[in-house]
Amino acid sequence: MKRCTIFTFYHCLQPNTHHSNVGIFPHCLRFFFFRGYLSQRSFALGSTNTRPFPDYSPKRPTIRDSEIVHQISTAIKLRCSEPLRHTLKPFESKFRPDHLIWVLMDIRSDYRLVLDFFDWACLRREPILEARCIVVQISVAAKDLKTAHGLIHDFWEKPNLDASIVFTHFVERLIYTYKDWGSDPHVFDIFFQVLVEARKLNEARKLFEKLLNYGLVISVDSCNLYLSRLSNTCDGLRMVVKSFTEFPELGICWNTASYNIMIHCLCRFGKIKEAHLLLLQMELRGCSPDVVSFSTIINGYCYLGELQRVLKLIEEMQIKGLKPNPYTYNSIVRLLCKTGKVVEAETILREMMNQGIVPDNVIYTTLIDGFCKMGNVAAAYRLFDEMRGLNIIPDLLTYTAIICGFCLTGKMVEAEKLFHEMLGRGLEPDEIVYTALIDGYCKAGEMKKAFSLHNNMVQMRLTPNVVTYTALADGLCKSGEIETANELLHEMCRKGLQLNIYTYNSIVNGLCKAGNILQAVKLMEDMEVAGFHPDTFTYTTIMDAYCKSGEMVKAHELLRDMLDKGLQPSVVTFNVLMNGFCMSGMIEDGEKLLKWMLEKGLKPNAATYNPLIKQHCLRNDMRTTAKIYKGMCAQGITPDGNTYNILLQGHCKARNMKEAWFLHKEMVQKGFNLTTSSYNALIKGFLKRKKYSEARELFEEMRRGGLVADREIYYFFVDINFEEGNTEITLELCDAAIECYLVGKATDENK
């Protein structure tokens, strides 16, 4: 008798001869990938040592029992629409557990009647295990696998079962009743599944091995479930590798889903290269990788930040005619956002939508968070609006990302509006949201609102942490309330929160912003006494204060002190110096600093180049400006919104309106906002060139964005609309001009 799998007969896999890259595997994984396929071929010839299933020989009823069984069987067969409990009421006092099996033997051909009668018997008392196994066999024979699963599951859900003893009895009864009551091997498959679902993995493996004695092999689908649950155990990887290696030798022919489980397990344990090699070997073993196979590997490489490998795998998918799924796209978008390539990540979103794949909350939240972290909150809010337009509901993480973004860029009105919208939707803000808002209000100097939120946070039973108190202390220092900040820090210590380097740095920053550089330097000295060594951020903050006050000599002294103590300056440190040189008119020193950074392999960013570009623009030297800008792009540095605004204003000043207009379009396309100064420069430039339609378009765009144009621009458009007879618009502009310039409510945001 040959072994057969449940659902499909076992067939031999082709031997694997692919042995490249063996060296990258640990010993157990090499064993798993390359072992034993020749032994499968010999196994496929079959085995003659299988055991037959036993005959069913139940206990014989007495004459009295036979009469009762006959009466019950006849009564329930002849009943019409009468409920079974009414029909069997006369027999309740006489009914014994043994009668259940004998009645089942009489009515086994009527499946619905079997279930009804079994349910009735269960209401009287718990049936014996043999009876339950008989009904399970009948259900499987009737192709009612769901009921069979439920009957086994209900038994194994009972509390206080001694799994090892009960398992032995259950297997014995299921095997004993198999031959005469069903002979359908699916019954063992269902039992195996229930054991796995109940996390009785040792018992499931014992069942698998016991069935081999009878020539039966559990189905590959059930074994996949076993692999999946096994991977979540404490010794998951080793056990999965072991089973994945051994099961083919016992008759299992793994399919694509099996390999996917194995690939997922390897990736989860950080074995991405091993998972990739298994992907390459799948086809050699008779399995075609699917989109799940590729997506899992892609996700693994995305976590490692290996973009080139990801792009190569996507190319392989396309060659095989496989389309990336939402999971694939989410992984790629997350990687691009993580590496700062947020614009490229949005391009992936558009490609995904063009493929007809509907993005989910996760991909939008990732992009929103990415744009917020790079300071482009306008682009983030555009995506936030877009997702709501598509009926994709923002969750707590989405609101947290966009609120933090607005807070970081000082747009507290928008942040507060979203905070209340979030509350209105029943979402409960956490410590992160409250702390972001508190930090934002502190930076905006609105300390009353910050402390009000702190009080709300406490009332919500959320615990302010070191970051929360640091933000409050920072705000108080910037407001000149040094004593109050000290009191707050003492309160923080009383609550058991430890001051850390970030708290000290925040206070140093607050003191510098308030112009108290001497106190900041003293606090830096006190830090060392308290056992906290000033770090790069501490030095950079005080250097920035010196640079802004024009004290470049003192800034240099701090840099030397910093280097003497073995601290490595960051790109921000050099940016501070660059800004100081440029503000002091020392452009040549700034250019020398940039050259030195590049020679030392220190990669500058857009903020390094912006002061130099701005100074050359102010000097109307657009040729040098273009040279610096091209050098920046050649270094692979992406211009930020500030870069574009500086260049745009520079070209307007130099009357290069064509170039300025091109930059405006490029900024809008990339999601950057023009500042008030940039709009004013563009509009004035077009008015001087008598390009009134372009100037009008920009003026309306500026007003829609809530920005206020210069007075002369307002007056020009008041006059031109009056001359054109546009009375309503003229009056509207007059009102706006009066409100802005006569009432004194003009604001010049982002200037």
Side-chain angles (χ1 to χ4, degrees), residues 363-636:
I363 198 166
Y364 270 106
T365 301
T366 305
L367 279 166
I368 287 167
D369 186 55
F371 275 118
C372 285
K373 282 176 178 171
M374 68 178 286
N376 194 348
V377 189
Y381 193 72
R382 172 175 51 77
L383 286 167
F384 186 75
D385 264 346
E386 182 181 307
M387 73 182 288
R388 290 190 293 188
L390 294 170
N391 291 321
I392 300 169
I393 308 299
D395 60 11
L396 177 62
L397 292 176
T398 320
Y399 276 103
T400 300
I402 193 76
I403 287 171
C404 288
F406 277 129
C407 291
L408 284 169
T409 52
K411 297 184 181 294
M412 297 311 297
V413 174
E414 293 86 345
E416 186 176 358
K417 181 184 173 185
L418 281 172
F419 178 68
H420 289 299
E421 180 185 310
M422 175 183 174
L423 293 173
R425 290 197 51 238
L427 295 171
E428 294 185 2
D430 57 11
E431 291 89 347
I432 296 171
V433 176
Y434 273 108
T435 300
L437 286 163
I438 288 168
D439 185 50
Y441 281 125
C442 287
K443 283 182 168 61
E446 299 187 60
M447 297 307 297
K448 284 185 179 178
K449 286 189 175 181
F451 275 101
S452 175
L453 273 173
H454 168 267
N455 295 338
N456 289 345
M457 185 179 179
V458 173
Q459 287 169 10
M460 294 290 292
R461 296 188 178 179
L462 295 172
T463 306
N465 54 29
V466 175
V467 181
T468 318
Y469 280 107
T470 299
L472 288 167
D474 182 48
L476 289 168
C477 288
K478 286 174 185 172
S479 303
E481 300 181 55
I482 310 300
E483 290 303 318
T484 311
N486 280 328
E487 288 174 17
L488 186 71
L489 294 177
H490 286 306
E491 180 190 329
M492 173 180 161
C493 293
R494 283 196 300 272
K495 289 185 176 181
L497 295 171
Q498 295 293 321
L499 291 176
N500 57 31
I501 187 70
Y502 303 106
T503 315
Y504 278 107
N505 282 343
S506 185
I507 300 168
V508 167
N509 185 48
L511 290 168
C512 288
K513 290 285 192 296
N516 298 321
I517 304 178
L518 291 176
Q519 282 184 275
V521 173
K522 185 178 184 307
L523 182 60
M524 184 169 74
E525 293 167 357
D526 292 342
M527 283 172 67
E528 295 197 75
V529 175
F532 292 99
H533 298 289
D535 60 7
T536 301
F537 183 89
T538 322
Y539 277 96
T540 301
T541 302
I542 299 177
M543 283 169 63
D544 183 45
Y546 279 135
C547 287
K548 284 175 179 172
S549 63
E551 300 181 75
M552 295 304 296
V553 174
K554 289 186 177 180
H556 266 169
E557 286 174 0
L558 267 181
L559 178 63
R560 280 195 294 270
D561 185 33
M562 178 181 173
L563 293 170
D564 288 344
K565 290 184 176 178
L567 291 171
Q568 290 298 318
S570 67
V571 68
V572 179
T573 313
F574 291 114
N575 290 351
V576 161
L577 284 171
M578 178 67 77
N579 200 44
F581 283 134
C582 291
M583 283 174 66
S584 302
M586 304 163 68
I587 300 180
E588 293 77 13
D589 291 284
E591 289 173 345
K592 286 178 183 175
L593 176 64
L594 177 63
K595 184 181 177 183
W596 182 84
M597 286 177 72
L598 294 172
E599 286 173 354
K600 296 294 182 183
L602 300 167
K603 189 167 184 178
N605 57 21
T608 318
Y609 283 89
N610 288 344
L612 278 173
I613 292 171
K614 184 175 182 178
Q615 287 302 313
H616 284 293
C617 284
L618 290 172
R619 295 184 180 189
N620 220 15
D621 186 0
M622 297 311 293
R623 181 176 293 180
T624 306
T625 298
K627 183 181 176 183
I628 294 171
Y629 179 72
K630 286 178 182 176
M632 170 182 169
C633 295
Q635 290 292 327

Side-chain angles (χ1 to χ4, degrees), residues 2 10-17 35-47 248-251:
K2 291 186 178 181
Y10 174 75
H11 64 273
C12 179
L13 292 175
Q14 292 185 0
N16 174 35
T17 56
R35 162 191 177 189
Y37 276 91
L38 291 175
S39 66
Q40 288 182 43
R41 298 187 67 183
S42 61
F43 171 78
L45 298 174
S47 172
E249 298 178 6
L250 301 173

Side-chain angles (χ1 to χ4, degrees), residues 204-327:
R205 180 64 190 252
K206 288 176 185 177
L207 175 64
F208 181 95
E209 291 170 353
K210 188 170 186 67
L211 291 174
L212 296 176
N213 296 327
Y214 294 92
L216 288 180
V217 180
I218 295 295
S219 73
V220 66
D221 291 332
S222 294
C223 289
N224 286 344
L225 178 65
Y226 174 76
L227 279 183
S228 182
R229 293 297 170 89
L230 197 62
S231 69
N232 293 322
T233 60
C234 58
D235 196 15
L237 181 59
R238 188 183 68 83
M239 294 305 297
V240 168
V241 169
K242 186 173 184 291
S243 297
F244 198 79
T245 305
E246 293 175 351
F247 275 31
E249 298 178 6
L250 301 173
I252 294 297
C253 179
W254 295 124
N255 58 18
T256 300
S258 317
Y259 281 94
N260 288 345
I261 292 165
M262 192 66 223
I263 287 170
H264 179 264
C265 183
L266 288 167
C267 288
R268 195 157 58 84
F269 284 93
K271 306 286 184 182
I272 314 300
K273 291 182 179 178
E274 290 84 344
H276 193 177
L277 186 56
L278 181 58
L279 176 79
L280 299 175
Q281 293 180 13
M282 280 177 70
E283 287 186 272
L284 295 173
R285 297 186 178 184
C287 281
S288 296
D290 61 9
V291 66
V292 175
S293 318
F294 277 97
S295 294
T296 307
I297 304 288
I298 286 170
N299 184 59
Y301 279 128
C302 282
Y303 270 109
L304 294 180
E306 298 194 28
L307 181 59
Q308 292 308 312
R309 285 185 182 270
V310 168
L311 297 175
K312 179 71 175 172
L313 281 165
I314 292 170
E315 186 182 331
E316 288 178 28
M317 282 181 74
Q318 291 171 338
I319 292 169
K320 293 179 181 293
L322 297 172
K323 290 184 178 181
N325 60 18
Y327 182 74

